[in-house]
Every structure is written in C-alpha cells, then in structure tokens.
Amino acid sequence: MANQLLKGKKGIIFGALNDQSIAWKVAERAHEEGAEFVLTNAPIAMRMGEINGLAEKTGSQIIPADATNTEDLENLVTQSMEILGGKIDFVLHSIGMSPNVRKGKHYTENNYQYYQQTMDVSAMSLHKTLATLYKHDAMNEWGSVVALTSIAALRIFPDYNDIADAKSLLESIARSFGYHYGIAKKVRVNTISQSPTVTTAGQGIKGFNEFINFSEQMSPLGNAPAVACADYCVSMFSDLTRYVTMQNLFHDGGFSNTGVTQQVIERFGN
Ligand SMILES: NC(=O)c1ccc[n+]([C@@H]2O[C@H](COP(=O)([O-])OP(=O)(O)OC[C@H]3O[C@@H](n4cnc5c(N)ncnc54)[C@H](O)[C@@H]3O)[C@@H](O)[C@H]2O)c1
C-alpha cells in the first residue's frame, strides 16, 4: 500500500520499544512511504536492543534521549538535522509511563513524586520537545507533530490512574503549542486518540484485557489496530492534511461516539 506519501520528508520518531509498539509500526509505514527519519528512545530502553533491528530495517540512525531531559532533546534535534541534512518535517511523540500504575497505587493514594514523573514523561515531554524544535527553528513550514493519546483523557477509566490526567495535559499542550507554532511557522500539532492496543505500555494497565474486549464490542468498526494507527499517522505527516492542527483526532472505530451497541445491550437482557 505504499504511495510515496512521505517521499523527501525527514522525521524524528520517539517510542519504538519492540515490534508491538505503535511507534514501531509508524516507523515501518513511514519508511515504506519514502520518509527518512531518526529513531529515539530513553537510554534505558536502548538496553533491550530491539530498536537496532528496526534501525537496520528502515536505514535509520538511533539517538538516545530521555524526553524529560532538555539537554538530551537539544542534542537529538541538532544531531537529527545534521544526519538528515536539513530541517524536520514530522515528529511522532509516542511516550507514556506512570510509576503509580507500575507500582499498583490506587488513584486516591497516589505518590506525588511519581505523579510528577508521570506528568513529565507522558505530557510535559511533548512541550519540551516542541519548545526545543521551536528554539532551533528545526521544523519546515507545514511540518506535522503527532502525539498519541487515549480516550481516558476525556472519560473515566479508573485503572488509567494518573495517565488519564497526563493525557488531558498532553491534549491541551497540543492545542496551545499548536496555536503558537501555527502562527509562527505554520507547523501543525495534533493528538491521535487511539483504541486500546496490545503493547508493553498498554498491558501495564490493570484490567486492560477486559477493557480491550469491552471497547471491541462498543466500537462499530471494532478496535483500531496499531498498523491502522500507523496509517493514520502517515496521513497526518503527509501534505494531504495540511490544514489540520490543534485537534484531538479519534482513531477508535467509533468508540468515543457510541453510547451503547446492540451487542452490549444483549449482555444485559433478563
Ligand atoms: N497501547 C494502548 O492501548 C494505547 C492506547 C492509546 C494511546 N497509547 C499511547 O501510545 C503511546 C505509545 O505507547 P505504546 O502503546 O506503543 O507502548 P510502548 O510501551 O511500546 O511505548 C511507550 C514508549 O515510551 C517510551 N518512554 C518511556 N519513558 C520515556 C522517556 N523518559 N523518554 C523517552 N521515551 C520514553 C518507552 O521506552 C516506550 O518506547 C503512548 O503515549 C501511549 O500512552 C497507547
């Protein structure tokens, strides 16, 4: 299905941990569509080493960066421009982590140091990335930044804990920075709200398998798979979506607009 939609475009892709990661699929699809990009992830994620295979497959270089660390981000942005030979056209922010979720804390008893880490890693890292790109004038006009989010930003899904709060902030940062970057440089910033998807981050959430089954039955089209999310990201990086900015875009098979489905109603019959 390759149409060279991203031919000549240069990007930075955050968050490919293993072949289940949504960012991994985005990298594969972007490569098929003719893009060149740098892969990045937290230094700790490099130890798992799987990203090397993706780099080889897509002819990409890897630059480790903790997305909460502005020095790392400065290095990432300046080095990426050197490696790619010019300014950046697209960035994927595909990062999420909550120590409170990892340690099994209940929302009402969260640890506030962990809470700050969740906010920093899962939300403020988008602001820091955008601010670094902005400061270095690193994006081409009509460039596109996409961050991945979840319906838990807008509706209560209790086990998402403080990730839900971080996603609300992430979506707000996309709107606010999207305004300033649009005015200054015609750069677009959007979030894509993806169906629950089986990945390392997803499976860390309690009750995740039940939620996937529930949303499958609550979505007229069924849950959107990771590969389809990658297709959507590619379209958002392409020139075909140039006037889309500051949006939270649902990629969820219709889940977010469904009150109930017949399939679910029938489960509650007498
Ligand atoms: N899986 C789902 O159900 C689902 C649904 C909607 C949205 N999302 C979002 O999609 C994005 C990607 O998650 P995924 O499901 O592919 O899981 P994943 O675990 O494969 O990816 C999460 C990534 O975040 C990276 N990361 C964590 N801390 C970091 C840091 N300090 N600096 C840089 N990178 C860091 C991890 O190394 C990992 O690569 C996340 O934002 C997630 O919240 C996931």
Side-chain angles (χ1 to χ4, degrees):
M1 217 178 53
N3 297 296
Q4 296 295 296
L5 275 176
L6 302 182
K7 192 170 167 49
K9 297 214 181 284
K10 305 169 197 302
I12 301 176
I13 296 181
F14 287 81
L17 182 66
N18 54 37
D19 64 4
Q20 290 189 316
S21 300
I22 299 168
W24 190 285
K25 315 281 186 211
V26 174
E28 288 179 333
R29 283 293 290 118
H31 176 63
E32 278 170 25
E33 294 294 340
E36 282 178 87
F37 46 82
V38 162
L39 294 169
T40 182
N41 209 326
I44 196 165
M46 299 293 158
R47 284 194 217 142
M48 318 195 37
E50 293 186 51
I51 197 172
N52 296 322
L54 180 66
E56 211 170 294
K57 187 175 172 190
T58 58
S60 310
Q61 292 201 37
I62 304 168
I63 304 176
D66 175 347
T68 65
N69 181 317
T70 47
E71 270 175 40
D72 282 10
L73 290 172
E74 298 260 343
N75 178 54
L76 170 68
V77 166
T78 51
Q79 269 206 52
S80 296
M81 285 198 287
E82 267 177 47
I83 291 169
L84 298 169
K87 290 194 193 183
I88 309 298
D89 299 291
F90 67 90
V91 175
L92 177 73
H93 178 287
S94 185
I95 300 172
M97 197 280 294
S98 159
N100 279 311
V101 168
R102 281 197 180 173
K103 309 249 178 198
K105 293 273 179 195
H106 191 268
Y107 187 72
T108 56
E109 292 171 359
N110 272 347
N111 171 303
Y112 291 109
Q113 208 183 330
Y114 295 165
Y115 208 144
Q116 276 175 349
Q117 274 177 269
T118 305
M119 289 293 160
D120 200 11
V121 173
S122 310
M124 260 193 288
S125 60
L126 176 63
H127 192 290
K128 290 177 180 177
T129 302
L130 286 163
T132 309
L133 292 162
Y134 192 90
K135 178 174 149 194
H136 288 275
D137 192 14
M139 295 289 292
N140 277 318
E141 281 198 356
W142 304 107
S144 172
V145 179
V146 168
L148 294 178
T149 186
S150 152
I151 185 71
L154 302 171
R155 313 250 190 281
I156 177 68
F157 294 93
D159 293 320
Y160 276 69
N161 200 325
D162 55 354
I163 285 272
D165 302 338
K167 291 302 189 189
S168 299
L169 177 57
L170 183 85
E171 291 176 14
S172 181
I173 290 170
R175 270 189 303 275
S176 302
F177 224 116
Y179 169 81
H180 293 290
Y181 225 157
I183 298 250
K185 296 281 171 189
K186 291 192 164 54
V187 170
R188 320 185 267 130
V189 187
N190 294 285
T191 49
I192 291 181
S193 188
Q194 163 65 8
S195 290
T197 313
V198 178
T199 62
T200 305
Q203 282 165 314
I205 291 165
K206 203 169 125 232
F208 187 74
N209 292 337
E210 291 81 350
F211 177 41
I212 277 214
N213 294 338
F214 171 71
S215 70
E216 174 72 20
Q217 294 190 19
M218 281 287 285
S219 309
L221 300 180
N223 287 329
V227 182
C229 185
D231 286 340
Y232 196 22
C233 291
V234 164
S235 77
M236 288 306 299
F237 296 150
S238 82
D239 291 333
L240 300 179
T241 52
R242 268 190 318 199
Y243 282 86
V244 184
T245 193
M246 301 162 63
Q247 302 299 316
N248 180 40
L249 304 162
F250 291 103
H251 186 257
D252 64 358
F255 177 85
S256 48
N257 262 352
T258 301
V260 74
T261 57
Q262 192 60 33
Q263 212 178 349
V264 170
I265 283 184
E266 283 165 13
R267 295 178 77 104
F268 289 89
N270 292 319

